[in-house]
Amino acid sequence: MIDAHAHVEMFKGKIPEVIEESRNRLKLIVDSITEYRKFHVWKSWEALKPYFGFIQPTLGYAPNEARRGNWEKVKRVEEFIREHADEIVAVGEIGLDFYYAETEAERKNQREIFKHFLNLAVELDLPVVLHARDAEREVFEAVEKAGIPAYFHSYSGPKELALEIARAGHFVGINTGIDFIPEVRAAAETVPLENLLVETDSPYMSPYKGQKNYPWNVEYAIRRIAELRGLAFEEVERITEENTLRFFGLR
């Protein structure tokens, strides 16, 4: 199995044990190293660097950080991405989150910074990992305009749009919140399997109430997709794994 989206750097003090257990259960983890509050990309990078190979890194700028409009930090993150462009598999996560960005000023900041990093990904010829919440249509239109391959991580928008995203050749991420977020379940039931990636978004989105989420819980999402679609677990595992390898250009 592959966890297509996790934040292992957020397991403070427990990174080695989380990695060890993940190695026992998973083929690899794609970790979205993202500038977000106190989790600076350069610090997260150093924390995970010893595990690169098993961990495949992306680098990005979270929209909930972007709403603050700190362009000094944007430039520093951009420089870090450029410095490590040959070592990452995508730019992300980047995007828009209008659930938390309620004012027009915050949304303007998000839009400008999202566009900035989208242009950077185009320049570097890298795909993008997207965070889109209450702004899925706008994010979709932006990546279509940019002409860039995209992965809508932890998708929770309308299923009709999920199908449009798939028809355009992009990927939709089904996370371990599949049983308590109706939109996630709807996407899992309707999007072609060839356009699905499976993820945990750990340490968030645990399928088990009151517990932290872990990368190996991706098995939960695979199992539920299989059950919802009347397919064998092994088939869903194989196809979503192939999708992840193809999207991120991994061997």
Side-chain angles (χ1 to χ4, degrees):
M1 296 180 294
I2 296 175
D3 184 357
H5 189 98
H7 302 283
V8 178
E9 66 278 9
M10 294 185 180
F11 290 98
K12 286 187 173 181
K14 293 186 176 180
I15 293 174
E17 59 191 81
V18 170
I19 292 290
E20 183 179 0
E21 184 63 26
S22 296
R23 283 186 190 274
N24 292 332
R25 305 194 189 199
L26 302 174
K27 185 167 285 185
L28 62 87
I29 297 169
V30 180
D31 192 287
S32 187
I33 299 175
T34 305
E35 186 68 21
Y36 179 53
R37 295 195 296 199
K38 295 180 181 179
F39 291 97
H40 302 304
V41 291
W42 42 91
K43 291 183 179 180
S44 298
W45 184 272
E46 289 306 312
L48 297 183
K49 192 174 181 179
Y51 311 105
F52 285 175
F54 176 69
I55 284 187
Q56 296 289 331
T58 77
L59 283 169
Y61 202 102
N64 286 329
E65 183 65 35
R67 67 191 169 112
R68 307 177 200 282
N70 186 338
W71 279 90
E72 183 179 337
K73 186 183 277 191
V74 167
K75 292 298 184 184
R76 189 174 176 187
V77 172
E78 178 190 347
E79 288 172 10
F80 193 84
I81 293 173
R82 289 184 181 279
E83 182 183 342
H84 297 284
D86 293 338
E87 301 168 79
I88 61 176
V89 295
V91 171
E93 58 191 273
I94 58 174
L96 302 174
D97 189 323
F98 291 168
Y99 180 84
Y100 286 107
E102 296 178 346
T103 69
E104 270 311 308
E106 288 180 331
R107 292 184 178 190
K108 181 173 182 287
N109 288 337
Q110 281 193 356
R111 286 185 174 108
E112 290 175 349
I113 292 172
F114 172 43
K115 184 178 180 182
H116 184 80
F117 284 105
L118 199 56
N119 289 339
L120 178 62
V122 171
E123 179 188 337
L124 298 176
D125 194 25
L126 286 167
V128 287
V129 177
L130 300 170
H131 176 123
R133 189 178 186 189
D134 290 356
E136 291 86 359
R137 170 66 64 181
E138 185 170 336
V139 170
F140 173 55
E141 289 175 356
V143 295
E144 282 291 275
K145 185 177 180 182
I148 192 166
Y151 162 30
F152 285 72
H153 115 80
S154 287
Y155 183 83
S156 61
K159 67 179 180 181
E160 294 80 11
L161 179 57
L163 288 168
E164 280 188 62
I165 289 167
R167 282 195 292 270
H170 305 299
F171 289 86
V172 173
I174 304 300
N175 66 31
T176 39
I178 187 170
D179 280 335
F180 59 85
I181 305 174
E183 291 83 0
V184 174
R185 188 164 60 251
E189 290 173 326
T190 57
V191 173
L193 203 53
E194 290 70 23
N195 296 92
L196 290 185
L197 301 185
V198 286
E199 60 168 282
T200 61
D201 200 20
S202 59
Y204 307 109
M205 305 305 295
S206 177
Y208 306 110
K209 192 174 181 179
Q211 297 181 27
K212 270 190 176 180
N213 204 7
Y214 294 95
W216 54 85
N217 284 339
V218 73
E219 179 181 356
Y220 187 98
I222 297 170
R223 193 168 302 284
R224 289 296 291 125
I225 293 168
E227 290 169 352
L228 288 166
R229 302 178 81 126
L231 300 171
F233 175 92
E234 292 77 13
E235 182 180 2
V236 176
E237 177 190 9
R238 176 182 59 81
I239 293 173
T240 54
E241 180 179 303
E242 289 171 355
N243 294 346
T244 307
L245 296 175
R246 186 168 73 255
F247 176 74
F248 289 109
L250 302 171
R251 287 179 290 179

